[in-house]
mmCIF file of all heavy atoms in Angstrom:
data_model
loop_
_atom_site.group_PDB
_atom_site.id
_atom_site.type_symbol
_atom_site.label_atom_id
_atom_site.label_comp_id
_atom_site.label_asym_id
_atom_site.label_seq_id
_atom_site.Cartn_x
_atom_site.Cartn_y
_atom_site.Cartn_z
ATOM 1 N N ILE A 66 134.841 118.370 119.672
ATOM 2 C CA ILE A 66 135.481 119.367 118.822
ATOM 3 C C ILE A 66 136.027 120.535 119.639
ATOM 4 O O ILE A 66 137.071 121.115 119.305
ATOM 5 C CB ILE A 66 134.477 119.869 117.756
ATOM 6 C CG1 ILE A 66 134.198 118.759 116.746
ATOM 7 C CG2 ILE A 66 135.012 121.102 117.033
ATOM 8 C CD1 ILE A 66 133.030 119.051 115.841
ATOM 9 N N ARG A 67 135.330 120.869 120.724
ATOM 10 C CA ARG A 67 135.768 122.001 121.551
ATOM 11 C C ARG A 67 137.142 121.786 122.178
ATOM 12 O O ARG A 67 137.787 122.734 122.635
ATOM 13 C CB ARG A 67 134.734 122.300 122.638
ATOM 14 C CG ARG A 67 133.535 123.102 122.141
ATOM 15 C CD ARG A 67 132.742 123.682 123.301
ATOM 16 N NE ARG A 67 132.025 122.667 124.035
ATOM 17 C CZ ARG A 67 130.785 122.265 123.753
ATOM 18 N NH1 ARG A 67 130.147 122.806 122.727
ATOM 19 N NH2 ARG A 67 130.183 121.346 124.486
ATOM 20 N N LYS A 68 137.608 120.543 122.208
ATOM 21 C CA LYS A 68 138.941 120.276 122.756
ATOM 22 C C LYS A 68 140.043 120.817 121.858
ATOM 23 O O LYS A 68 141.192 120.954 122.286
ATOM 24 C CB LYS A 68 139.130 118.768 122.956
ATOM 25 C CG LYS A 68 138.233 118.158 124.011
ATOM 26 C CD LYS A 68 138.586 116.708 124.293
ATOM 27 C CE LYS A 68 138.383 115.823 123.080
ATOM 28 N NZ LYS A 68 138.640 114.386 123.380
ATOM 29 N N TYR A 69 139.699 121.116 120.620
ATOM 30 C CA TYR A 69 140.699 121.551 119.645
ATOM 31 C C TYR A 69 140.459 123.034 119.342
ATOM 32 O O TYR A 69 139.515 123.411 118.641
ATOM 33 C CB TYR A 69 140.619 120.689 118.389
ATOM 34 C CG TYR A 69 140.772 119.220 118.724
ATOM 35 C CD1 TYR A 69 139.658 118.393 118.892
ATOM 36 C CD2 TYR A 69 142.033 118.671 118.940
ATOM 37 C CE1 TYR A 69 139.797 117.052 119.238
ATOM 38 C CE2 TYR A 69 142.183 117.337 119.294
ATOM 39 C CZ TYR A 69 141.059 116.540 119.443
ATOM 40 O OH TYR A 69 141.209 115.220 119.803
ATOM 41 N N GLY A 70 141.330 123.854 119.871
ATOM 42 C CA GLY A 70 141.134 125.297 119.841
ATOM 43 C C GLY A 70 141.140 125.944 118.475
ATOM 44 O O GLY A 70 140.726 127.097 118.337
ATOM 45 N N SER A 71 141.615 125.240 117.457
ATOM 46 C CA SER A 71 141.690 125.854 116.135
ATOM 47 C C SER A 71 140.371 125.782 115.375
ATOM 48 O O SER A 71 140.259 126.322 114.278
ATOM 49 C CB SER A 71 142.790 125.181 115.294
ATOM 50 O OG SER A 71 142.461 123.820 115.039
ATOM 51 N N ILE A 72 139.359 125.112 115.962
ATOM 52 C CA ILE A 72 138.059 124.984 115.312
ATOM 53 C C ILE A 72 137.071 125.965 115.938
ATOM 54 O O ILE A 72 136.850 125.957 117.146
ATOM 55 C CB ILE A 72 137.494 123.551 115.436
ATOM 56 C CG1 ILE A 72 138.477 122.536 114.877
ATOM 57 C CG2 ILE A 72 136.142 123.454 114.738
ATOM 58 C CD1 ILE A 72 138.769 122.687 113.398
ATOM 59 N N LYS A 73 136.483 126.802 115.103
ATOM 60 C CA LYS A 73 135.464 127.751 115.553
ATOM 61 C C LYS A 73 134.105 127.284 115.029
ATOM 62 O O LYS A 73 133.984 126.899 113.866
ATOM 63 C CB LYS A 73 135.767 129.154 115.031
ATOM 64 C CG LYS A 73 134.772 130.218 115.481
ATOM 65 C CD LYS A 73 135.180 131.584 114.980
ATOM 66 C CE LYS A 73 134.154 132.651 115.362
ATOM 67 N NZ LYS A 73 133.984 132.790 116.821
ATOM 68 N N THR A 74 133.103 127.299 115.888
ATOM 69 C CA THR A 74 131.751 126.912 115.484
ATOM 70 C C THR A 74 130.860 128.139 115.425
ATOM 71 O O THR A 74 130.837 128.952 116.365
ATOM 72 C CB THR A 74 131.143 125.895 116.474
ATOM 73 O OG1 THR A 74 131.957 124.720 116.494
ATOM 74 C CG2 THR A 74 129.733 125.512 116.050
ATOM 75 N N GLU A 75 130.146 128.274 114.319
ATOM 76 C CA GLU A 75 129.218 129.379 114.137
ATOM 77 C C GLU A 75 127.816 128.817 113.931
ATOM 78 O O GLU A 75 127.583 128.031 113.014
ATOM 79 C CB GLU A 75 129.606 130.220 112.909
ATOM 80 C CG GLU A 75 130.888 131.025 113.065
ATOM 81 C CD GLU A 75 130.685 132.247 113.935
ATOM 82 O OE1 GLU A 75 129.518 132.669 114.111
ATOM 83 O OE2 GLU A 75 131.694 132.798 114.432
ATOM 84 N N ASN A 76 126.882 129.213 114.812
ATOM 85 C CA ASN A 76 125.487 128.796 114.654
ATOM 86 C C ASN A 76 124.808 129.727 113.662
ATOM 87 O O ASN A 76 123.899 130.482 113.994
ATOM 88 C CB ASN A 76 124.767 128.826 116.004
ATOM 89 C CG ASN A 76 125.386 127.858 116.991
ATOM 90 O OD1 ASN A 76 125.869 128.245 118.040
ATOM 91 N ND2 ASN A 76 125.377 126.580 116.652
ATOM 92 N N GLU A 77 125.286 129.625 112.447
ATOM 93 C CA GLU A 77 124.849 130.518 111.381
ATOM 94 C C GLU A 77 124.550 129.716 110.124
ATOM 95 O O GLU A 77 125.129 128.646 109.896
ATOM 96 C CB GLU A 77 125.944 131.545 111.062
ATOM 97 C CG GLU A 77 126.257 132.522 112.177
ATOM 98 C CD GLU A 77 125.505 133.834 111.994
ATOM 99 O OE1 GLU A 77 124.700 133.942 111.043
ATOM 100 O OE2 GLU A 77 125.736 134.737 112.803
ATOM 101 N N ARG A 78 123.675 130.278 109.296
ATOM 102 C CA ARG A 78 123.377 129.696 107.992
ATOM 103 C C ARG A 78 124.099 130.494 106.914
ATOM 104 O O ARG A 78 123.919 131.715 106.800
ATOM 105 C CB ARG A 78 121.878 129.714 107.720
ATOM 106 C CG ARG A 78 121.481 129.124 106.365
ATOM 107 C CD ARG A 78 119.974 129.139 106.178
ATOM 108 N NE ARG A 78 119.580 128.592 104.899
ATOM 109 C CZ ARG A 78 119.449 127.295 104.631
ATOM 110 N NH1 ARG A 78 119.671 126.412 105.595
ATOM 111 N NH2 ARG A 78 119.096 126.878 103.441
ATOM 112 N N VAL A 79 124.946 129.827 106.146
ATOM 113 C CA VAL A 79 125.637 130.489 105.034
ATOM 114 C C VAL A 79 124.654 130.654 103.883
ATOM 115 O O VAL A 79 123.959 129.708 103.489
ATOM 116 C CB VAL A 79 126.859 129.675 104.584
ATOM 117 C CG1 VAL A 79 127.524 130.319 103.369
ATOM 118 C CG2 VAL A 79 127.854 129.524 105.726
ATOM 119 N N ILE A 80 124.568 131.865 103.347
ATOM 120 C CA ILE A 80 123.621 132.118 102.256
ATOM 121 C C ILE A 80 124.303 132.458 100.941
ATOM 122 O O ILE A 80 123.662 132.458 99.892
ATOM 123 C CB ILE A 80 122.635 133.240 102.624
ATOM 124 C CG1 ILE A 80 123.375 134.546 102.901
ATOM 125 C CG2 ILE A 80 121.763 132.821 103.808
ATOM 126 C CD1 ILE A 80 122.437 135.751 103.066
ATOM 127 N N ASN A 81 125.621 132.735 100.994
ATOM 128 C CA ASN A 81 126.300 133.087 99.748
ATOM 129 C C ASN A 81 127.787 132.755 99.834
ATOM 130 O O ASN A 81 128.411 132.906 100.882
ATOM 131 C CB ASN A 81 126.142 134.588 99.451
ATOM 132 C CG ASN A 81 126.617 134.950 98.064
ATOM 133 O OD1 ASN A 81 126.055 134.490 97.066
ATOM 134 N ND2 ASN A 81 127.654 135.755 97.971
ATOM 135 N N ILE A 82 128.332 132.284 98.711
ATOM 136 C CA ILE A 82 129.762 131.992 98.611
ATOM 137 C C ILE A 82 130.282 132.633 97.337
ATOM 138 O O ILE A 82 129.732 132.412 96.247
ATOM 139 C CB ILE A 82 130.048 130.480 98.576
ATOM 140 C CG1 ILE A 82 129.520 129.800 99.841
ATOM 141 C CG2 ILE A 82 131.545 130.224 98.427
ATOM 142 C CD1 ILE A 82 129.667 128.287 99.811
ATOM 143 N N ASP A 83 131.347 133.422 97.470
ATOM 144 C CA ASP A 83 131.989 134.047 96.312
ATOM 145 C C ASP A 83 133.467 133.703 96.307
ATOM 146 O O ASP A 83 134.110 133.708 97.354
ATOM 147 C CB ASP A 83 131.843 135.577 96.355
ATOM 148 C CG ASP A 83 130.423 136.025 96.056
ATOM 149 O OD1 ASP A 83 129.821 135.490 95.108
ATOM 150 O OD2 ASP A 83 129.921 136.900 96.790
ATOM 151 N N ARG A 84 133.980 133.430 95.115
ATOM 152 C CA ARG A 84 135.419 133.223 94.997
ATOM 153 C C ARG A 84 136.100 134.575 94.896
ATOM 154 O O ARG A 84 135.735 135.413 94.061
ATOM 155 C CB ARG A 84 135.736 132.374 93.764
ATOM 156 C CG ARG A 84 137.222 132.116 93.598
ATOM 157 C CD ARG A 84 137.510 131.152 92.453
ATOM 158 N NE ARG A 84 138.939 131.011 92.244
ATOM 159 C CZ ARG A 84 139.482 130.193 91.335
ATOM 160 N NH1 ARG A 84 138.701 129.454 90.564
ATOM 161 N NH2 ARG A 84 140.795 130.110 91.205
#
Side-chain angles (χ1 to χ4, degrees):
I66 290 168
R67 280 195 289 270
K68 294 187 297 184
Y69 304 97
S71 65
I72 304 297
K73 181 177 177 61
T74 299
E75 290 284 341
N76 298 119
E77 295 264 4
R78 180 178 180 82
V79 176
I80 60 171
N81 190 64
I82 301 175
D83 288 316
R84 181 174 175 178

